[in-house]
Amino acid sequence: MENLRFRMPGNRANRSVSGMSEPSFQDDVLNELGADRLHEIAGLLGTDAAGAQEVVGSSVAELSGGLRQAAAEPGSADEVRAAVDEVASPAPPLQGVAALGGLVGGGLMAGVLARLAKPAANAVAKRTGIPPATADRAVELLVPVVLAALTRRAARKGGAGGGLGDLLGGPRK
């Protein structure tokens, strides 16, 4: 199967310190998702690939924002930090976690993302008008893909401890 690169409208690659272009986190999730699974999500949503891509982008933005917020809150910051450290550890990347239909392992970060899925789905449903149950299912399908994208990003960065901001890219709050 050919490796397709997706681009979110208005989404630009981040510039790294070396000046080389780095794909956005949303781009990484879309690439990890692939065309076949994007079409599967489109079928679930009753839309085309472009509509599914928009919902995936919104879902990733909500999950990323939820991670950033959890990292900033005293009650969850330690857990998020430990989850990021686990994802960024030099251990081999998790295999098979990006299967649609549920989490297959994934450690601390899988648990953190699973807890953020419902609020993210509610925000996506509210913003897009998608029925809440459908948004829930779409976000549930994306959680293992987001986990796989985080793991691959950490591996690309060599596990260098930059924390959550380096893994997600974009502005730090």
Side-chain angles (χ1 to χ4, degrees):
M1 180 172 156
E2 117 186 39
N3 185 11
L4 300 173
R5 306 273 314 163
F6 295 99
R7 178 59 84 194
M8 292 297 297
N11 190 12
R12 295 195 177 99
N14 298 321
R15 285 277 178 200
S16 68
V17 175
S18 66
M20 295 189 62
S21 185
E22 176 182 308
S24 73
F25 184 61
Q26 286 183 359
D27 288 339
D28 281 352
V29 171
L30 284 165
N31 289 324
E32 187 72 34
L33 186 64
D36 289 343
R37 291 184 285 179
L38 183 67
H39 287 288
E40 188 173 336
I41 290 174
L44 170 72
L45 298 172
T47 188
D48 60 7
Q53 189 172 337
E54 188 175 316
V55 171
V56 168
S58 292
S59 300
V60 169
E62 290 296 332
L63 286 168
S64 298
L67 271 174
R68 288 181 195 276
Q69 183 176 352
E73 293 176 2
S76 55
D78 289 341
E79 181 184 22
V80 172
R81 193 171 307 115
V84 169
D85 289 346
E86 182 182 82
V87 167
S89 75
L94 299 170
Q95 298 297 315
V97 295
L100 290 177
L103 297 174
V104 182
L108 292 172
M109 187 60 81
V112 170
L113 289 170
R115 279 191 299 284
L116 296 173
K118 183 75 169 173
N122 288 340
V124 169
K126 186 175 182 179
R127 184 178 316 130
T128 63
I130 295 171
T134 304
D136 281 345
R137 183 68 181 137
V139 173
E140 283 175 11
L141 293 174
L142 286 172
V143 166
V145 179
V146 169
L147 177 59
L150 283 169
T151 303
R152 288 191 195 280
R153 269 189 161 228
R156 266 198 326 258
K157 293 177 183 291
L164 185 61
D166 280 353
L167 287 179
L168 296 177
R172 294 181 192 157
K173 294 182 181 178

